[in-house]
Amino acid sequence: MAVKRDYYETLGVSKSADASAIKKAYRKLAKKYHPDTNSGDPAKEQKFKEITEAYSVLSDPEKKKLYDQFGHAAFDGSGAGAYGNGAGSQGGFGSYTSGYGPQGNYREYHFEGNMDDIFGDLFGGMFRGAGRGGNRQDGRSGSGFGNHFSDDGFGGFSGFGQDFRQKGSDVTAEVTVSFDEAAFGCDKVITYQNPGEKAGTRQRLSVHIPAGIESGKSIRLRGKGMPGAGGGEAGDLLLKVTVREKPGFERKGMDVYTTVNIPFTTAVFGGEARVQTLYGDVLCKIQPGTQSGTKIRLRGKGIVSMKDSSVHGDQYAVVQIEVPQNLSREAKQKLKEFEQACGQTSRGNGFHAA
């Protein structure tokens, strides 16, 4: 018969550890070795049984006191202070019933403590059933954990997966779209590797990219993640969207910024300028004396709202004045005359040209 490990050693705590430290150590190990997160790994399932047995003793003040005094002998019937010497007692943490399994060693352990307190904290209540501490009509505990587990001879836990359902984990993937595809929405076919599938198996999935989505946002595709346990629903696929840049366009929230170049004379005398938008080119009126950096607001020419398709942002066209180059002699002479005229006007108004 294999020698049992010291319970304190099993939980990785010292003999001076208090109840809080013991509970913390158990929670950490239980989450790591729980059968539903280590399916098909008998070694880890056995480890889970060992730490659960250790915790059931060390978390009970009376049993812990006996264990500190007599060790394992306190619970196997061989010590003077043996706990629960009556028939059907095992290990000081509850009773078990025996039966013949595939390897002749079926045992079902029934814990005296309420394991909902631990597993509810660890797994977000997935072990909870009809109600905390309640009873089911079939005679079993109202807790999803049932306060018991069975060793079915295969190192597995026959009770797990029957009294509760666990949602599968989420998986992530990425997709890249153009600036216009993000602005107007599109359909994409993506290929991704689901960790729950056989290695090398890739899945193809048609995805709708909603209009107005921003770079860095994720689309949740329900039920496309890891399969659930115990008949639980599958997890989700979180598809992270990356939007490529569009030359000449910059997005800020729902608004779009562009630039419009106008001749020097148009800035002076006014006129019209053609501005490119996501919805086609438009003619904008330029007021006389328009300065470089002026913003022309084009209402409703921005990005659509993902929450309300009737709402759009605006486009702002920032004016840049083109400086004339390669002027002819005549053009230069005219500009000189213009400069002189501007200087006379400034002096007439009490100002001096720079």
Side-chain angles (χ1 to χ4, degrees):
M1 178 178 179
V3 178
K4 283 189 176 182
R5 290 180 64 194
D6 178 80
Y7 285 151
Y8 290 100
E9 181 183 346
T10 299
L11 294 182
V13 297
S14 66
K15 290 188 177 182
S16 61
D18 58 16
S20 176
I22 292 172
K23 182 176 180 179
K24 182 178 180 181
Y26 175 70
R27 290 180 62 186
K28 181 178 179 180
L29 292 172
K31 192 171 184 178
K32 178 178 180 181
Y33 292 105
H34 190 272
D36 282 332
T37 57
N38 298 280
S39 180
D41 191 335
K44 291 185 177 179
E45 291 177 355
Q46 178 61 33
K47 180 71 174 178
F48 179 77
K49 288 191 288 184
E50 291 174 0
I51 63 176
T52 302
E53 178 180 337
Y55 178 74
S56 68
V57 172
L58 299 183
S59 63
D60 185 302
E62 181 183 353
K63 297 173 190 175
K64 182 177 182 296
K65 182 178 180 180
L66 288 172
Y67 180 74
D68 289 343
Q69 185 176 0
F70 301 104
H72 292 296
F75 309 108
D76 62 11
S78 62
Y83 181 90
N85 287 323
S89 176
Q90 172 68 20
F93 57 91
S95 62
Y96 72 80
T97 57
S98 301
Y100 183 78
Q103 297 179 4
N105 62 346
Y106 175 90
R107 293 193 300 273
E108 184 176 76
Y109 296 90
H110 295 268
F111 293 94
E112 295 175 347
N114 186 352
M115 301 303 287
D116 280 339
D117 179 52
I118 284 293
F119 289 97
D121 290 342
L122 278 175
F123 301 99
M126 72 182 185
F127 288 99
R128 305 187 192 278
R132 187 179 181 90
N135 293 319
R136 296 160 52 114
Q137 292 182 353
D138 57 9
R140 290 181 290 178
S141 167
S143 166
F145 184 80
N147 287 342
H148 75 275
F149 63 82
S150 302
D151 181 349
D152 58 8
F154 294 98
F157 292 73
S158 63
F160 294 165
Q162 296 176 0
D163 291 339
F164 66 89
R165 295 181 179 181
Q166 180 182 1
K167 182 179 178 180
S169 301
D170 294 339
V171 298
T172 59
E174 297 182 356
V175 62
T176 300
V177 299
S178 69
F179 192 96
D180 287 357
E181 287 174 330
F184 298 106
C186 65
D187 292 317
K188 287 282 188 180
V189 176
I190 65 169
T191 302
Y192 72 103
Q193 172 69 53
N194 189 323
E197 300 293 332
K198 182 179 178 181
T201 302
R202 300 185 66 81
Q203 297 187 20
R204 288 172 60 84
L205 184 65
S206 178
V207 180
H208 177 69
I209 307 298
I213 195 166
E214 293 185 75
S215 190
K217 298 292 186 180
S218 293
I219 300 172
R220 181 179 293 273
L221 303 174
R222 300 195 179 279
K224 300 299 181 180
M226 295 284 284
E233 62 179 318
D236 302 331
L237 170 63
L238 301 178
L239 186 62
K240 184 178 179 180
V241 177
T242 298
V243 181
R244 290 194 296 266
E245 295 182 355
K246 181 181 178 70
F249 286 77
E250 180 184 4
R251 177 175 176 176
K252 295 181 180 180
M254 292 173 55
D255 295 332
V256 173
Y257 286 76
T258 60
T259 58
V260 54
N261 297 319
I262 62 174
F264 174 75
T265 52
T266 302
V268 174
F269 301 114
E272 290 183 332
R274 186 177 297 275
V275 178
Q276 184 182 10
T277 76
L278 295 173
Y279 309 91
D281 293 352
V282 297
L283 284 176
C284 295
K285 185 175 182 179
I286 305 298
Q287 297 294 333
T290 294
Q291 302 297 305
S292 185
T294 299
K295 294 179 182 178
I296 302 174
R297 183 181 182 183
L298 304 175
R299 296 182 182 276
K301 297 298 184 181
I303 305 295
V304 65
S305 168
M306 291 183 64
K307 297 180 180 180
D308 186 348
S309 60
S310 65
V311 177
H312 288 71
D314 301 326
Q315 178 172 334
Y316 292 90
V318 181
V319 173
Q320 289 186 347
I321 299 175
E322 297 176 335
V323 177
Q325 297 177 340
N326 303 319
L327 295 176
S328 66
R329 179 175 298 179
E330 182 182 2
K332 290 181 180 180
Q333 181 61 38
K334 294 296 183 182
L335 279 176
K336 284 290 185 180
E337 295 175 2
F338 170 76
E339 182 182 32
Q340 292 173 359
C342 288
Q344 292 174 355
T345 302
S346 298
R347 286 192 295 272
N349 290 319
F351 295 96
H352 298 281

Short mmCIF file of all heavy atoms in Angstrom, two decimals, residues 324-337:
data_model
loop_
_atom_site.label_atom_id
_atom_site.label_comp_id
_atom_site.label_asym_id
_atom_site.label_seq_id
_atom_site.Cartn_x
_atom_site.Cartn_y
_atom_site.Cartn_z
N PRO A 324 2.24 79.67 -55.39
CA PRO A 324 2.59 79.56 -56.81
C PRO A 324 4.10 79.39 -57.01
O PRO A 324 4.91 79.98 -56.30
CB PRO A 324 2.10 80.89 -57.41
CG PRO A 324 1.97 81.82 -56.26
CD PRO A 324 1.65 80.99 -55.07
N GLN A 325 4.47 78.52 -57.94
CA GLN A 325 5.88 78.25 -58.27
C GLN A 325 6.12 78.50 -59.76
O GLN A 325 5.18 78.50 -60.56
CB GLN A 325 6.24 76.81 -57.90
CG GLN A 325 6.13 76.49 -56.41
CD GLN A 325 6.43 75.04 -56.12
OE1 GLN A 325 6.37 74.19 -57.00
NE2 GLN A 325 6.79 74.76 -54.86
N ASN A 326 7.42 78.67 -60.10
CA ASN A 326 7.81 78.84 -61.51
C ASN A 326 7.00 79.96 -62.20
O ASN A 326 6.41 79.76 -63.27
CB ASN A 326 7.66 77.52 -62.27
CG ASN A 326 8.46 76.39 -61.63
OD1 ASN A 326 9.61 76.62 -61.20
ND2 ASN A 326 7.87 75.21 -61.59
N LEU A 327 6.94 81.10 -61.54
CA LEU A 327 6.18 82.23 -62.12
C LEU A 327 6.91 82.85 -63.31
O LEU A 327 8.15 82.94 -63.34
CB LEU A 327 5.96 83.29 -61.04
CG LEU A 327 5.09 82.89 -59.84
CD1 LEU A 327 5.06 84.03 -58.83
CD2 LEU A 327 3.70 82.53 -60.28
N SER A 328 6.15 83.31 -64.27
CA SER A 328 6.73 84.04 -65.41
C SER A 328 7.14 85.44 -64.96
O SER A 328 6.74 85.91 -63.88
CB SER A 328 5.71 84.14 -66.55
OG SER A 328 4.61 84.95 -66.15
N ARG A 329 7.92 86.13 -65.80
CA ARG A 329 8.35 87.48 -65.46
C ARG A 329 7.14 88.40 -65.29
O ARG A 329 7.11 89.24 -64.38
CB ARG A 329 9.28 88.01 -66.54
CG ARG A 329 9.78 89.44 -66.28
CD ARG A 329 10.79 89.87 -67.32
NE ARG A 329 11.97 89.01 -67.27
CZ ARG A 329 13.02 89.16 -68.10
NH1 ARG A 329 13.01 90.13 -69.02
NH2 ARG A 329 14.07 88.36 -68.01
N GLU A 330 6.18 88.23 -66.16
CA GLU A 330 4.98 89.07 -66.09
C GLU A 330 4.21 88.82 -64.80
O GLU A 330 3.73 89.76 -64.15
CB GLU A 330 4.08 88.80 -67.30
CG GLU A 330 2.82 89.67 -67.33
CD GLU A 330 1.94 89.35 -68.52
OE1 GLU A 330 2.29 88.44 -69.30
OE2 GLU A 330 0.91 90.02 -68.66
N ALA A 331 4.09 87.50 -64.41
CA ALA A 331 3.35 87.17 -63.19
C ALA A 331 4.06 87.73 -61.97
O ALA A 331 3.42 88.24 -61.04
CB ALA A 331 3.21 85.65 -63.08
N LYS A 332 5.39 87.66 -61.97
CA LYS A 332 6.14 88.21 -60.86
C LYS A 332 5.93 89.71 -60.75
O LYS A 332 5.81 90.27 -59.66
CB LYS A 332 7.62 87.89 -61.01
CG LYS A 332 7.97 86.41 -60.81
CD LYS A 332 9.47 86.19 -60.97
CE LYS A 332 9.83 84.72 -60.75
NZ LYS A 332 11.28 84.47 -60.90
N GLN A 333 5.89 90.41 -61.93
CA GLN A 333 5.67 91.84 -61.93
C GLN A 333 4.31 92.19 -61.36
O GLN A 333 4.17 93.13 -60.58
CB GLN A 333 5.80 92.38 -63.36
CG GLN A 333 5.61 93.89 -63.48
CD GLN A 333 6.63 94.67 -62.67
OE1 GLN A 333 7.81 94.29 -62.59
NE2 GLN A 333 6.18 95.78 -62.05
N LYS A 334 3.31 91.40 -61.72
CA LYS A 334 1.96 91.64 -61.20
C LYS A 334 1.92 91.47 -59.68
O LYS A 334 1.24 92.21 -58.97
CB LYS A 334 0.96 90.70 -61.87
CG LYS A 334 0.78 90.93 -63.37
CD LYS A 334 0.17 92.29 -63.64
CE LYS A 334 -0.09 92.49 -65.15
NZ LYS A 334 -0.63 93.85 -65.42
N LEU A 335 2.63 90.44 -59.18
CA LEU A 335 2.65 90.22 -57.75
C LEU A 335 3.37 91.36 -57.02
O LEU A 335 2.99 91.74 -55.90
CB LEU A 335 3.34 88.89 -57.42
CG LEU A 335 2.48 87.63 -57.58
CD1 LEU A 335 3.29 86.37 -57.32
CD2 LEU A 335 1.29 87.68 -56.63
N LYS A 336 4.39 91.92 -57.68
CA LYS A 336 5.07 93.07 -57.10
C LYS A 336 4.11 94.25 -56.97
O LYS A 336 4.07 94.95 -55.96
CB LYS A 336 6.26 93.46 -57.97
CG LYS A 336 7.48 92.56 -57.85
CD LYS A 336 8.14 92.74 -56.48
CE LYS A 336 9.44 91.92 -56.40
NZ LYS A 336 10.08 92.10 -55.07
N GLU A 337 3.34 94.45 -58.04
CA GLU A 337 2.35 95.52 -58.02
C GLU A 337 1.30 95.26 -56.93
O GLU A 337 0.86 96.19 -56.24
CB GLU A 337 1.67 95.63 -59.39
CG GLU A 337 2.63 96.06 -60.50
CD GLU A 337 1.96 96.05 -61.87
OE1 GLU A 337 0.73 95.74 -61.93
OE2 GLU A 337 2.64 96.32 -62.87
#
